[in-house]
Amino acid sequence: MIELLQTSTPVLLVVTGLFSLLVGSFLNVVIHRLPLMMERQWRLDATEFLSAEGHALPAVEGSGSYNLWTPRSACPECGHRITALENIPILSYLFLRGRCSECGTRIPLRYPLVEAATALLSVAVVWHFGFTWQAGAALLFTWALLALSVIDIRTMLLPDSITLPMLWLGLVLNLAGVFTDTTSSLLGAVTGYASLWILYHGFRLLTGKEGMGFGDFKLFAMIGAWLGWQFLPLVILLASLVGAVVGIALILFQGRDRAQPIPFGPYLAAAGFIALLWGDHIMSLYLG
Ligand SMILES: [Zn+2]
């Protein structure tokens, strides 16, 4: 099997596509549950703090454990447990025509879209890197970027529980020089965080507004740790370009309020992905 994956690109891509559909299905769980888990934790912390101060507060509802694995997935409307047959990436959505089999509540289009996007991006990664350690690492990076983007779009949050472990992982992988050398990786993490931190405080001093969140700094640091500091200018340039185009389009076509905050994380993530695959190419074109 391993030999077949090494020698046959079509087989490798098909296996990657099928496997990453399952990963996409898991990313949907992460995207749905991680913000809820964070909110639960904030409530617990707040309750604990306030009751230590002597305020009596109602206990946090739903005392059962809630994490990525328990309880089993269910329809939020009627509580119908999702069966294995209803849990097949993309196909189940089509088969159910986008509705809960029990109560007919619409299943968000996000679910099949995330699965399809995971498969497409993963195939692109493996096509680019081949059957290598780099490809394996790049897949993890890509999946994290995708999950972070969708969570940020939905909730304006970039969970530390994804950005920070991925930042460390980037540093560790580059100890072995998977994508860049150790120094570039370390400098990437530091300058990634520091540059946006400075930008944030500068912007706030000038305008009195907050242009982005601390999650953005950590995401940029993570991208720096993975790709090296050399790619950060390109990433910020691409992110701003894509952000400007999408932002203007949203204002023009959806009448979106200009003052309404737009999450920056998805643009950073998209730019990080582009830099992962084509950064070398773009930079060599640009530099000469
Ligand atoms: Zn239902």
Side-chain angles (χ1 to χ4, degrees):
M1 184 66 195
I2 296 221
E3 204 170 317
L4 193 59
L5 289 175
Q6 276 170 328
T7 51
S8 165
T9 309
V11 172
L12 177 62
L13 295 182
V14 168
V15 169
T16 303
L18 291 176
F19 175 70
S20 48
L21 280 173
L22 297 176
V23 174
S25 190
F26 175 69
L27 293 185
N28 272 320
V29 177
V30 174
I31 289 162
H32 177 70
R33 293 196 182 187
L34 208 51
L36 294 176
M37 286 158 59
M38 291 165 73
E39 199 180 306
R40 243 177 105 94
Q41 193 56 49
W42 295 331
R43 277 179 203 282
L44 283 172
D45 290 348
T47 311
E48 193 179 342
F49 174 74
L50 288 170
S51 59
E53 298 270 288
H55 302 279
L57 280 170
V60 175
E61 77 286 352
S63 52
S65 64
Y66 187 85
N67 54 46
L68 295 181
W69 290 272
T70 51
R72 295 260 330 263
S73 296
C75 168
E77 210 56 44
C78 69
H80 166 68
R81 288 285 169 88
I82 311 296
T83 64
L85 210 57
E86 291 168 0
N87 213 2
I88 303 164
I90 301 178
L91 289 181
S92 292
Y93 182 87
L94 295 175
F95 180 70
L96 292 165
R97 294 203 199 86
R99 290 181 181 281
C100 168
S101 64
E102 191 78 23
C103 68
T105 302
R106 276 207 168 283
I107 302 166
L109 192 59
R110 177 180 86 241
Y111 284 84
L113 286 183
V114 164
E115 287 157 357
T118 311
L120 285 175
L121 296 176
S122 303
V123 166
V125 162
V126 171
W127 196 358
H128 184 87
F129 288 106
F131 191 72
T132 59
W133 286 112
Q134 268 191 326
L139 283 176
L140 278 179
F141 186 63
T142 305
W143 298 336
L145 291 178
L146 183 62
L148 286 167
S149 299
V150 184
I151 292 174
D152 200 16
I153 291 169
R154 289 187 65 220
T155 64
M156 299 288 288
L157 294 169
L158 289 169
D160 284 353
S161 51
I162 300 178
T163 49
L164 296 183
M166 288 300 289
L167 193 163
W168 296 122
L169 183 63
L171 292 173
V172 170
L173 285 172
N174 285 324
L175 279 178
V178 174
F179 292 104
T180 187
D181 60 278
T182 310
T183 312
S184 299
S185 167
L186 185 63
L187 283 176
V190 174
T191 50
Y193 193 93
S195 58
L196 289 193
W197 187 90
I198 291 167
L199 201 67
Y200 167 87
H201 285 285
F203 186 74
R204 209 178 55 162
L205 276 177
L206 287 173
T207 66
K209 289 181 196 155
E210 297 184 3
M212 59 185 118
F214 279 67
D216 295 315
F217 315 165
K218 292 169 202 163
L219 173 56
F220 200 38
M222 165 189 148
I223 294 170
W226 277 71
L227 305 181
W229 66 269
Q230 296 88 339
F231 286 90
L232 292 179
L234 176 70
V235 169
I236 207 76
L237 195 72
L238 286 171
S240 313
L241 266 175
V242 180
V245 170
V246 174
I248 291 168
L250 284 177
I251 290 169
L252 286 181
F253 298 114
Q254 290 198 344
R256 185 187 271 257
D257 183 4
R258 227 166 297 202
Q260 191 183 337
I262 296 171
F264 193 50
Y267 304 121
L268 278 179
F273 180 76
I274 294 170
L276 169 75
L277 293 197
W278 302 290
D280 283 325
H281 194 64
I282 297 171
M283 292 225 285
S284 64
L285 277 180
Y286 182 73
L287 295 174

